[in-house]
Amino acid sequence: MAVSTPSTTGSAHPQPARRLGIESRSIDYVPLAERHGKVWHLFPVWFAGDAHLATVATGAIGVTLGGNMIWTAVAVVLGGAFGTFFMAFHSAQGPQIGLPQMVQSRPQFGFMGALLVWVVALVTYIGYTAFNQVLIGSTMQHLAGVPTGMSFVGYAVLAIVLAVVGYDVIHRASRWLTYLILAALVVFTVGVVVANPFTSAQLDLGSFALTPFLIQFFTAAVYQLSWSIYVSDYSRYLPPSVGVRSSFWWTYVGAWAGGAWMMLVGTVAAGLFPKTDLVDSVVSAGNTLFPGFGVTLLVITVVPLISIGALNFYGGSLTLLSSMDSIKQTRPTVTKRVVALIVIGVLSTVIAFGADEHFIEQFGEFLTVLGFLFTPWTAINLVDFYVVRRGHYSIRQIFNPRGTYGRWSWRGLLAYGVGFAAMMPFAVIGSSMGPVAGWLGGIDITMPVGLVVATGVYLLVCRSLDLEGERAMVADETEAELETSGPVPAAHEE
């Protein structure tokens, strides 16, 4: 992978991201001199980031739809493995490009065209945070009688503070959380195996129901895929020498293990106590091992929500700043990043206050919509990086609205539109479904359809790209010029 690496937005002279204070960088490129960390640090970021109460809810969906517990568990494991595959490949882009994840969409969609996927990403960040606030509120009310509104606001404030400090503190917190979560999951797993509180029907491999199985499979896959908009944000400070393969595998194993393992907690809880709500079912499942462990298990699934809240606010602020930069070019500053964090926090909190008791149903439908919106993007972004341009990008041109990548890239936008349209006949959202989905008995297979169609269309239209010209331009930007005090890009001259 050969990626041009200039000092882009911000001052003409790189300003280091402070290790013990507020992170100074936001949507700008991270120079090689500021790269730090070890590639294995990606494992705890995504293990802890994926192992929390919202993930528990995802693993309960198959049982609530009538599937038996053992086949729901199989769907969780396989679906998580499938969805994490794409997410981990996005993570490997971060050390090679040194930019936040969503900024990397400009070469495929254009300087302004990338706003399409950024708006979708913003909705995701805000929506996930609101769901997490609802979970925190419900849990704190259950455990200590704390008013939900107080929990909504307190959660937002704490997560914003962590996000303001930034990248390094999020990584460190994730490592400590991983130790705690691993211990709890091991105790729960061993205890469940020893106690064996299941009925023969719950473990009957002969009781296979296709529709609940596939819905759980693709829900787990989409849940893991939805992390794709985050991952480079937390790998972009790593040196490119860590390589694509190592970045991929440390992310993949961490995210899949944390996600699938915690989803299985939801599967077991819903299987044992199908008529209770999420919080009560988790407590009851823990208490089947020994009295009091249920509350401990619940608390441990809630604590990582603070970490993922910081990830949501952090990524959401970067996406909001990127969107603002496309509309009116501006120098990223710490103040602007803090203001963006507060805006995201206010919006998510307003949504949390308006949420009702039908959480699981709404959460499942929300994941479904995310699958429709992110599947074409992930296909286009990955195929561009790994197949079409093969990592050859000019970071300077990414920040230039009149540059090589253009304001609107018809290739990416066309592939996205066609991929999205191809998915609609297969779509199922609640009680509504497309004609093909109806013919298939209500089974939603939009994800593979969108991946295949968007990939095929993008590869076809990219045959006319002048890739040799682009690579020559990248080669002309010498490392010494781009890494030190190169000129401020034209888009940001003042």
Side-chain angles (χ1 to χ4, degrees):
M1 299 292 175
V3 184
S4 173
T5 53
S7 172
T8 57
T9 56
S11 73
H13 298 274
Q15 298 178 355
R18 284 176 287 173
R19 303 290 183 86
L20 299 177
I22 296 174
E23 182 183 354
S24 62
R25 297 205 174 273
S26 59
I27 63 172
D28 44 345
Y29 166 75
V30 180
L32 296 181
E34 296 178 24
R35 305 295 186 92
H36 61 280
K38 297 183 170 86
V39 69
W40 71 264
H41 292 168
L42 295 173
F43 176 93
V45 164
W46 296 112
F47 185 93
D50 223 347
H52 52 76
L53 193 56
T55 309
V56 174
T58 306
I61 290 173
V63 173
T64 63
L65 294 174
N68 81 337
M69 195 188 66
I70 189 65
W71 280 112
T72 299
V74 172
V76 160
V77 172
L78 296 181
F82 179 58
T84 309
F85 177 83
F86 303 97
M87 171 263 207
F89 269 120
H90 284 294
S91 180
Q93 295 170 317
Q96 307 305 314
I97 300 182
L99 290 174
Q101 187 69 67
M102 298 313 294
V103 176
Q104 299 173 28
S105 298
R106 279 178 171 166
Q108 301 98 53
F109 296 93
F111 191 87
M112 289 293 294
L115 276 170
L116 168 68
V117 291
W118 290 349
V119 169
V120 175
L122 272 175
V123 171
T124 304
Y125 284 123
I126 295 168
Y128 264 122
T129 304
F131 276 122
N132 291 344
Q133 286 172 286
V134 170
L135 282 175
I136 285 281
S138 173
T139 304
M140 293 305 296
Q141 187 177 54
H142 180 93
L143 291 176
V146 178
T148 56
M150 185 180 298
S151 296
F152 296 162
V153 175
Y155 175 80
V157 171
L158 182 56
I160 287 173
V161 169
L162 290 174
V164 167
V165 179
Y167 180 95
D168 285 330
V169 74
I170 291 173
H171 270 261
R172 285 196 295 270
S174 297
R175 291 197 283 276
W176 286 106
L177 280 172
T178 294
Y179 302 142
L180 176 67
I181 298 164
L182 266 173
L185 287 176
V186 168
V187 171
F188 179 77
T189 303
V190 172
V192 163
V193 171
V194 172
N196 189 23
F198 312 113
T199 66
S200 58
Q202 291 168 335
L203 302 178
D204 184 9
L205 289 171
S207 299
F208 177 75
L210 182 62
T211 298
F213 178 87
L214 288 179
I215 290 175
Q216 180 65 77
F217 176 93
F218 285 115
T219 299
V222 168
Y223 184 81
Q224 296 299 95
L225 175 69
S226 68
W227 293 107
S228 296
I229 64 174
Y230 297 69
V231 283
S232 281
D233 297 353
Y234 306 98
S235 62
R236 74 189 197 279
Y237 279 89
L238 289 172
S241 59
V242 300
V244 169
R245 184 175 298 178
S246 294
S247 304
F248 171 87
W249 281 113
W250 281 111
T251 301
Y252 184 93
V253 176
W256 180 54
W261 206 344
M262 195 60 81
M263 286 184 210
L264 289 174
V265 173
T267 302
V268 170
L272 293 176
F273 304 97
K275 296 183 180 180
T276 59
D277 62 23
L278 177 67
V279 171
D280 287 332
S281 67
V282 171
V283 173
S284 298
N287 286 339
T288 60
L289 308 187
F290 53 87
F293 182 65
V295 172
T296 302
L297 181 63
L298 178 64
V299 170
I300 290 174
T301 66
V302 167
V303 171
L305 285 175
I306 299 172
S307 174
I308 192 58
L311 266 67
N312 279 325
F313 283 121
Y314 185 88
S317 68
L318 298 184
T319 304
L320 180 57
L321 289 171
S322 299
S323 302
M324 294 167 59
D325 183 69
S326 290
I327 297 169
K328 185 182 188 323
Q329 284 76 60
T330 181
R331 294 177 184 273
T333 64
V334 171
T335 299
K336 289 173 183 174
R337 188 166 71 86
V338 172
V339 171
L341 285 167
I342 294 172
V343 170
I344 300 294
V346 169
L347 292 174
S348 69
T349 303
V350 168
I351 294 173
F353 271 103
D356 59 24
E357 68 276 8
H358 303 294
F359 170 74
I360 295 292
E361 179 183 350
Q362 293 172 344
F363 188 64
E365 293 179 2
F366 181 64
L367 288 176
T368 300
V369 173
L370 286 183
F372 301 156
L373 296 172
F374 279 118
T375 296
W377 168 79
T378 202
I380 293 164
N381 182 263
L382 290 179
V383 78
D384 185 75
F385 184 88
Y386 290 101
V387 179
V388 177
R389 290 185 167 98
R390 299 185 182 183
H392 294 269
Y393 296 97
S394 167
I395 309 300
R396 187 173 299 280
Q397 294 301 312
I398 287 176
F399 287 93
N400 186 354
R402 297 174 292 278
T404 299
Y405 304 122
R407 293 179 67 81
W408 304 90
S409 177
W410 66 269
R411 294 178 179 86
L413 294 169
L414 177 65
Y416 185 96
V418 173
F420 183 81
M423 296 165 68
M424 289 303 95
F426 300 86
V428 178
I429 306 177
S431 59
S432 302
M433 64 184 68
V436 179
W439 180 71
L440 292 173
I443 298 173
D444 186 327
I445 58 170
T446 51
M447 185 178 175
V449 170
L451 288 171
V452 170
V453 173
T455 296
V457 173
Y458 191 70
L459 286 174
L460 179 65
V461 297
C462 282
R463 295 178 65 183
S464 61
L465 269 176
D466 180 14
L467 295 175
E468 292 301 320
E470 283 191 17
R471 289 174 185 174
M473 175 197 63
V474 171
D476 287 341
E477 298 177 341
T478 65
E479 181 175 313
E481 174 194 9
L482 301 172
E483 283 293 322
T484 56
S485 57
V488 178
H492 295 273
E493 291 177 352
E494 296 181 350

